[in-house]
Amino acid sequence: MSSNPAFRPSRRALTRAAVVAAVLPVVALSACSRAGTNTASASAAPSELTFGTQAGPPSLNPAVGDPAYGATYQWAYDPLVVMQPDGTFAPGLAVKFGYVAGSSNKVYEMTLRNGVKFSDGETLDAKAVKTYLDYLRAQKTGSLAPLLANVTTIDATGPMTVRITLKSSDPSLTFNFAQAFGLGNIASPKAVANPSTLDKSTAGAGPYMLDAAQTVSGDHYTFVPNPNYWNKDRQHWKKVTLRVIANPSSMIQSMRSGQVQAALGDPTTLSAAKSAGLNVIAPPQAMSGLNLLDRSGTISKPVGDVRVRQALNYAVDRKAIAKALYGDEALALSQYSLTGQAAYDTALNERYPYDVAKAKQLLAEAGYPNGITLESIDTTVAGLNKLMQAISGQLSAAGVTLKITTKPGVNDYVIGMLSTKYPTAVMGYGLANMASLYAGFINPAGPFNPFHYKDAELDKLYAQYYAADEEQGAALQKQINARLVEQAWSVPVVGAPLSYYTTKGITGLDATSGNSGVPWLTEIRPAG
């Protein structure tokens, strides 16, 4: 929405931010690693935890790295706000937070927790928060700076109070300051003054800190208790090792052998993890399906016709695909929100029942009685090409042929999607609320909208939503969701899970689709 500068950073910055925040929860990043060995075990009351992840961070500095949906930064950096499993927000480093009444979501205030120190001994106060957020705003790389593009000023209004003033209404700061995006991962002002120190060390106010002597970048990262941490009861481990294991099958093997006790899972190994006796936490997290990019009909006239887009939605049996690929037909998705989120509307699930005859009828009404052929692009990462093949097979029954170009990695896929050579593409977009959906999917500058398509009705609804209070905003989110469904901006098929696995003897890992499937990892602890 061009009238809202909150989501109009440079296209390069927005592309990086949105792809990291939206695609990477679905796809397993590629990195070279080895399983290695670990002395921690799954026996009763272990003192050490090894957590498996598919890739290491591009930088340990949260301001220039990619904290969104990642597994690295939470160990050393408590967020300003904690998103709970039910999707509500609780105090983190900030004990009070929210928009000033009557400000139309343009003024946000926080009161910080007393008695908090960073791992380097510096004190957390309003000046420290302002210093870090101003530093973050100035960054040219990383996924977080664009989230503060709408900020006019950040002021320390008292020793422990911070006020953020925005150029235009934006209701998303509380979510952004929580652990999913990691905008609230505040670093010490001493470290900010010499930011190169953050590349190979940590300076947060979380329960642990990096032990560089026991760390090999790209392979494993070792964290030990932060001696200055404000809540000793949350330091559940004497040592936490984050181990990079790129191959999803190798991750399962490492957990079965006791080398890894908890891990970020992969949608392609859900069944294998369950068969291995692991505890699987896998709430729906990302809208996966076929993105109908060329809604204006620039290179593909059929995609520019809403009847054709609706026909494609009727032609896909979502439950069958969800069952075949993910083992659970309940993951079928036909809207732009997940159960437990404000925009979710049960009635929208019935808008496009599987109906091949209806699909053919709409295609004929649009002038395509003999069917259509559409160019498309997908990627082999995390089995998204398998999802595309399933969609393609079902569309063929309605007379729709997908000519698919497959790219092996995320970067090539993104480049192809942005090239405007393809009117359709496979998608995996993390769902949280309508503000985060706008950032990369609806925004004319967003990577999932490369043809810069706009809808006047959506613009109007978003303008109202950004300025609304929580109750009004929830109703407007439902209206936005309904408009997207009716205009058939894409073919949502499954709510792909952001999955986590644990071995026996481990508890505390809790996530639902209501909180975007993102747990507070430092709550992982020995059972009993």
Side-chain angles (χ1 to χ4, degrees):
M1 186 167 61
S2 58
S3 61
N4 187 352
F7 295 105
R8 294 303 300 273
S10 72
R11 184 171 178 81
R12 179 180 178 185
L14 200 154
T15 297
R16 177 61 175 163
V19 168
V20 168
V23 180
L24 299 190
V26 186
V27 299
L29 299 179
S30 159
C32 297
S33 66
R34 60 183 182 276
T37 59
N38 193 298
T39 57
S41 70
S43 60
S47 62
E48 298 181 6
L49 173 73
T50 299
F51 187 97
T53 186
Q54 290 92 350
S59 170
L60 284 170
N61 183 345
V64 299
D66 290 324
Y69 298 97
T72 305
Y73 304 90
Q74 285 194 38
W75 306 103
Y77 295 92
D78 270 4
L80 286 167
V81 178
V82 176
M83 185 167 52
Q84 300 185 110
D86 62 1
T88 59
F89 297 98
L93 296 179
V95 293
K96 294 181 181 179
F97 49 86
Y99 292 91
V100 173
S103 71
S104 298
N105 295 335
K106 293 181 182 179
V107 180
Y108 191 91
E109 292 187 341
M110 293 180 287
T111 300
L112 304 175
R113 187 181 297 277
N114 286 310
V116 175
K117 288 185 178 295
F118 295 96
S119 58
D120 63 3
E122 293 283 294
T123 298
L124 176 82
D125 57 16
K127 184 178 179 181
V129 171
K130 171 180 168 53
T131 297
Y132 175 74
L133 292 179
D134 280 339
Y135 160 70
L136 195 158
R137 291 171 65 198
Q139 301 311 302
K140 303 300 183 184
T141 59
S143 62
L144 296 181
L147 300 178
L148 294 176
N150 189 34
V151 171
T152 300
T153 58
I154 300 173
D155 298 305
T157 54
M160 302 299 289
T161 55
V162 178
R163 177 184 294 140
I164 300 174
T165 304
L166 306 176
K167 302 170 188 174
S168 61
S169 301
D170 176 5
S172 59
L173 281 182
T174 298
F175 176 83
N176 293 348
F177 282 137
Q179 70 266 25
F181 277 4
L183 187 65
N185 293 339
I186 308 300
S188 160
K190 181 179 178 181
V192 170
N194 187 12
S196 63
T197 62
L198 290 170
D199 292 333
K200 297 182 179 180
S201 64
T202 58
Y208 304 95
M209 60 186 188
L210 187 79
D211 185 337
Q214 297 188 69
T215 294
V216 176
S217 182
D219 184 82
H220 65 275
Y221 303 79
T222 300
F223 296 87
V224 295
N226 169 7
N228 300 314
Y229 191 57
W230 63 275
N231 185 358
K232 301 299 184 184
D233 289 341
R234 293 198 63 251
Q235 292 177 312
H236 304 299
W237 308 98
K238 292 181 179 179
K239 183 169 74 172
V240 175
T241 301
L242 187 76
R243 185 165 293 282
V244 179
I245 304 174
N247 185 287
S249 297
S250 297
M251 186 77 77
I252 302 296
Q253 297 280 351
S254 295
M255 297 191 76
R256 292 185 68 177
S257 67
Q259 297 176 53
V260 173
Q261 294 78 51
L264 184 62
D266 183 275
T268 65
T269 60
L270 290 173
S271 296
K274 292 176 182 177
S275 297
L278 302 177
N279 179 37
V280 175
I281 301 95
Q285 192 276 335
M287 173 178 63
S288 298
L290 182 66
N291 195 0
L292 308 179
L293 304 170
D294 189 18
R295 302 172 199 109
S296 56
T298 303
I299 63 171
S300 177
K301 184 178 178 181
V303 181
D305 192 317
V306 68
R307 293 169 296 183
V308 171
R309 300 197 301 268
Q310 291 173 342
L312 299 179
N313 274 272
Y314 279 112
V316 174
D317 187 344
R318 295 166 169 85
K319 290 184 178 180
I321 293 177
K323 180 66 174 179
L325 295 185
Y326 298 94
D328 186 359
E329 68 175 30
L331 292 174
L333 182 72
S334 54
Q335 56 182 291
Y336 298 76
S337 185
L338 301 170
T339 304
Q341 296 177 347
Y344 186 79
D345 187 347
T346 304
L348 294 176
N349 294 334
E350 306 305 319
R351 176 61 181 85
Y352 297 112
Y354 179 50
D355 190 335
V356 174
K358 180 67 173 179
K360 290 181 176 180
Q361 175 191 332
L362 284 169
L363 287 172
E365 290 176 3
Y368 307 102
N370 298 318
I372 57 176
T373 297
L374 301 174
E375 297 283 342
S376 198
I377 184 172
D378 70 7
T379 176
T380 58
V381 181
L384 284 176
N385 61 320
K386 296 179 182 178
L387 173 62
M388 197 67 147
Q389 289 297 329
I391 294 171
S392 178
Q394 293 193 348
L395 290 178
S396 65
V400 178
T401 299
L402 289 186
K403 293 181 63 177
I404 303 170
T405 298
T406 299
K407 299 294 184 179
V410 173
N411 289 337
D412 289 340
Y413 156 73
V414 172
I415 290 169
M417 183 172 61
L418 292 174
S419 71
T420 65
K421 295 179 180 179
Y422 303 93
T424 69
V426 74
M427 67 174 174
Y429 196 99
L431 296 177
N433 52 40
M434 291 297 105
S436 64
L437 182 68
Y438 183 88
F441 185 78
I442 296 169
N443 188 341
F448 291 83
N449 189 4
F451 289 87
H452 317 302
Y453 184 75
K454 298 180 181 179
D455 179 87
E457 180 63 25
L458 277 176
D459 285 353
K460 184 188 303 182
L461 289 170
Y462 263 102
Q464 297 171 21
Y465 162 50
Y466 283 139
D469 61 24
E470 185 174 355
E471 183 176 351
Q472 294 170 329
L476 286 161
Q477 287 193 68
K478 284 183 168 60
Q479 293 178 52
I480 292 169
N481 189 13
R483 177 69 179 177
L484 289 166
V485 170
E486 186 60 32
Q487 290 297 302
W489 275 43
S490 70
V491 184
V493 177
V494 294
L498 179 61
S499 54
Y500 296 86
Y501 306 152
T502 62
T503 58
K504 293 180 180 179
I506 302 296
T507 189
L509 194 59
D510 198 1
T512 70
S513 59
N515 77 340
S516 305
V518 181
W520 201 13
L521 295 180
T522 47
E523 282 298 291
I524 298 175
R525 57 192 183 273

